[in-house]
Amino acid sequence: MVRHVRWQLLLAFLGLVLLIGLLSAYAYSYTTVVVPDHGGDYVEGIAGFPQYINPLLSRYNNVDEDISSLIFGGLTRMDEHGNILPDLAQQWTISSNGLSYTFHLDPDRHWQDGVPVTSADVIYTVGVMQNPNYPGPPDLHDLWSTVKAEALDSHTVRFSLKAPYAPFLDYTTQGIIPKHLWEHVPITAMLTSRLNIHPVGFGGWKLKEINAERAILEPSPVYPWKHEPYLDSVTFKFYPDKESVLTAYAEKKVDGIAELPAEYMGKTSAMRDLQIFLPPIDQESIVLLNLRDPTVSFFQEKEVRQALLYALDREALVKDALHGYGVVIHSPVLPENWAYDGDVPRYPYDPARSQELLEAAGWTDSDGDGVRDKGGLPLRFILLTDDSPTHIALAKGICKYWKAVGIKAVPQHVAFPDLVSDYLYPHNFAAVLVSWELAGDPDPYPLWHSTQYASGQNYGGWSNRLADEAMEQARMTLNTTARARLYATFQRVFAEEVPALLLYQQVYGYGVRNTVKGVKVGPLAHPSDRFRTLADWYIYSKRVPTNRICRRNGTPMP
């Protein structure tokens, strides 16, 4: 009997212990929260190899641009909406006449070797771009050659322009290089300097190691972080092509895929541990029409241009030819940009409306051959594009839609370098499918102003006085609200006149293994912008009491 009572007491005691444990665990789960913890290495696979980890030379190589964007910084930086924000410069002022820009540098910024960043570094960098032997992008040389740069003191610089130019702030995002290291390298030897693979910047990440297979970056100890990055390091592994990157991911050699091609979407969608991001990027695809070629004079008729656009099911084209890697656009200014006008007229897929416009303009199939004609001129032309599989498929799909409304277009493709040199520059085309970047300031002048036909990028030769005036005034207007109104005028004229056929904005495919948390990827100007929130990415986590979480930003307090 006594033994039986003892067993009951023991069981009761054990039950009490278990209950206390369960209640404690329950209470702990409700009085604590999981937060990011420090540690771990994020490894990303990327197709290509570094050549110039130098912001003055990196534009033409995505590997260089990705790494440079983490190591270097500019006077300013750009957010996902095209707004200019402080970086090295804490603030700046613009003279009332728009000719003088004065930047006040953060006096506490240092290069990653510990040397202070000063006005001398900014002036030196500008001087490199102004040099006639500068081996970087010609547009940087052309712009900065017209600017007078001077240091007012060790942390104040002033730029003087010859004429007001509102997009100038966009150029101040250009990365700066350290004078104390580069001044010993002749400009003619810049391309061969070892500093291109052993860079020193003042950005958030510092190069720790680099070889032919990989580059390892770690948080810079001299960068003024809002909070220290959770990752210990970021490693880029280099591969010869995108297929090799996918194989490396499948073999768990990397945790991220720098670019997911549209044609691989079926394969990557089946990877259950892969987070796929498809942010819009500042690149658009359009069909340019030659508005000055007499052999295709029908393009000079607005009704024909409108009919061409109404005839296209652009949503279906994006789905079928691009595997969904695109967003249909209705304006030459992209939707994420501050200058975008969401009220511009749109052209939905409406083949009936397309045919109505053609009929009203006198384009009928007089001889029953399936191709509309007028005055003996058939509505027939070649649609040219480059040799990328996506553009070839897209061109074929476009021609199919036009055929359904009596327009005969024949798709033809050539190598991209030939497309540019033999067709675009000499305006030797009827219609051409192209893609181009729109990153940065929304200024459409180089692409659409009538003066840009001979030496600019207005390859189709559009000329409209109202649009020209809006673009001209916007370039001289510093007030963003006033500029936006001018660009709204430009966009409405463009929508009415349809000087080119807007197709879609491209998206950037990006993949990260689901073991990496906190990844957020918003609209991109350049692929390297996917790292905007890199400091918030993490692999490890921990529980902390809820009263240790900062109410303002949700990060754990020390």
Side-chain angles (χ1 to χ4, degrees), residues 12-24:
F13 176 75
L14 292 174
L16 180 62
V17 171
L18 178 61
L19 177 61
I20 292 173
L22 290 173
L23 289 174
S24 297

Side-chain angles (χ1 to χ4, degrees), residues 284 329-335 340-341 344 438 491 494 502:
E284 69 174 6
I329 54 175
H330 308 282
S331 166
V333 177
L334 297 178
Y340 175 70
D341 180 7
V344 294
L438 294 177
Q491 291 169 78
F494 191 102
L502 302 172

Side-chain angles (χ1 to χ4, degrees), residues 20-333:
I20 292 173
L22 290 173
L23 289 174
S24 297
Y26 182 79
Y28 180 72
S29 66
Y30 274 82
T31 59
T32 62
V33 64
V34 176
V35 298
D37 198 4
H38 294 275
D41 177 34
Y42 169 65
V43 182
E44 181 164 301
I46 188 168
F49 300 90
Q51 292 180 293
Y52 309 110
I53 306 176
N54 179 335
L56 300 185
L57 305 173
S58 63
R59 182 186 296 180
Y60 303 122
N61 182 338
N62 281 346
V63 178
D64 292 338
E65 197 164 57
D66 286 348
I67 300 176
S68 293
S69 72
L70 296 173
I71 295 174
F72 294 92
L75 284 169
T76 63
R77 61 185 176 87
M78 183 176 293
D79 71 8
E80 60 268 33
H81 302 296
N83 298 304
I84 303 298
L85 305 177
D87 192 353
L88 174 62
Q90 294 179 315
Q91 58 183 334
W92 56 88
T93 57
I94 306 173
S95 63
S96 58
N97 61 7
L99 297 179
S100 178
Y101 290 71
T102 303
F103 290 83
H104 302 277
L105 314 188
D106 183 346
D108 297 324
R109 298 294 288 273
H110 290 76
W111 296 103
Q112 291 159 356
D113 59 3
V115 175
V117 183
T118 69
S119 300
D121 298 301
V122 179
I123 301 302
Y124 174 77
T125 301
V126 171
V128 170
M129 292 185 288
Q130 292 175 333
N131 192 300
N133 295 316
Y134 169 54
D139 65 300
L140 291 181
H141 171 74
D142 294 342
L143 182 282
W144 286 105
S145 293
T146 66
V147 176
K148 178 183 178 182
E150 54 187 328
L152 302 186
D153 59 43
S154 63
H155 289 89
T156 309
V157 296
R158 182 169 63 198
F159 300 123
S160 300
L161 281 59
K162 295 180 179 179
Y165 182 54
F168 175 70
L169 278 178
D170 183 29
Y171 287 86
T172 63
T173 63
Q174 172 61 47
I176 298 165
I177 59 176
K179 177 184 177 181
H180 68 282
L181 297 178
W182 277 99
E183 67 180 338
H184 306 295
V185 180
I187 191 75
T188 53
M190 193 171 197
L191 292 176
T192 58
S193 172
R194 64 183 299 276
L195 289 172
N196 289 317
I197 54 171
H198 295 284
V200 175
F202 61 77
W205 296 80
K206 179 180 180 180
L207 186 67
K208 178 183 179 180
E209 175 187 326
I210 188 168
N211 55 41
E213 297 179 352
R214 66 180 184 178
I216 302 177
L217 281 70
E218 58 186 3
S220 171
V222 298
Y223 186 77
W225 295 103
K226 291 182 178 179
H227 72 79
E228 185 182 350
Y230 298 115
L231 296 170
D232 285 340
S233 58
V234 173
T235 297
F236 292 96
K237 285 192 174 181
F238 311 126
Y239 293 92
D241 50 50
K242 296 171 184 177
E243 185 70 37
S244 299
V245 177
L246 287 178
T247 300
Y249 181 86
E251 296 174 351
K252 298 188 182 302
K253 294 179 180 178
V254 300
D255 300 311
I257 304 173
E259 182 179 359
L260 294 173
E263 56 267 31
Y264 295 157
M265 196 61 182
K267 182 184 298 185
T268 56
S269 296
M271 297 177 176
R272 296 183 179 275
D273 62 350
L274 182 65
Q275 305 173 80
I276 297 177
F277 301 89
L278 297 174
I281 191 167
D282 287 356
Q283 297 175 10
E284 69 174 6
S285 293
I286 66 176
V287 174
L288 293 174
L289 306 174
N290 196 327
L291 305 179
R292 303 195 186 191
D293 185 348
T295 66
V296 286
S297 58
F298 41 74
F299 286 148
Q300 297 170 16
E301 299 180 32
K302 179 173 68 175
E303 294 78 10
V304 171
R305 301 194 299 269
Q306 292 176 335
L308 286 166
L309 194 49
Y310 273 124
L312 297 180
D313 187 345
R314 291 175 288 170
E315 296 284 357
L317 286 169
V318 167
K319 179 181 178 182
D320 297 338
L322 279 78
H323 307 278
Y325 265 48
V327 180
V328 172
I329 54 175
H330 308 282
S331 166
V333 177

Side-chain angles (χ1 to χ4, degrees), residues 418-496:
D418 296 335
L419 181 71
V420 175
S421 62
D422 298 342
Y423 297 92
L424 283 177
Y425 281 152
H427 311 282
N428 182 29
F429 65 89
V432 57
L433 168 62
V434 297
S435 296
W436 51 32
E437 283 191 12
L438 294 177
D441 190 272
D443 176 29
Y445 189 101
L447 300 174
W448 300 113
H449 195 275
S450 60
T451 61
Q452 300 304 294
Y453 175 71
S455 58
Q457 294 173 275
N458 183 6
Y459 301 118
W462 185 42
S463 177
N464 181 281
R465 188 63 249 163
L466 185 57
D468 277 358
E469 290 175 353
M471 289 184 278
E472 292 163 7
Q473 293 176 32
R475 278 195 148 192
M476 298 185 291
T477 302
L478 299 179
N479 182 275
T480 300
T481 302
R483 285 188 78 199
R485 286 196 295 267
L486 290 166
Y487 286 140
T489 297
F490 162 76
Q491 291 169 78
R492 287 192 293 270
V493 173
F494 191 102
E496 172 65 24

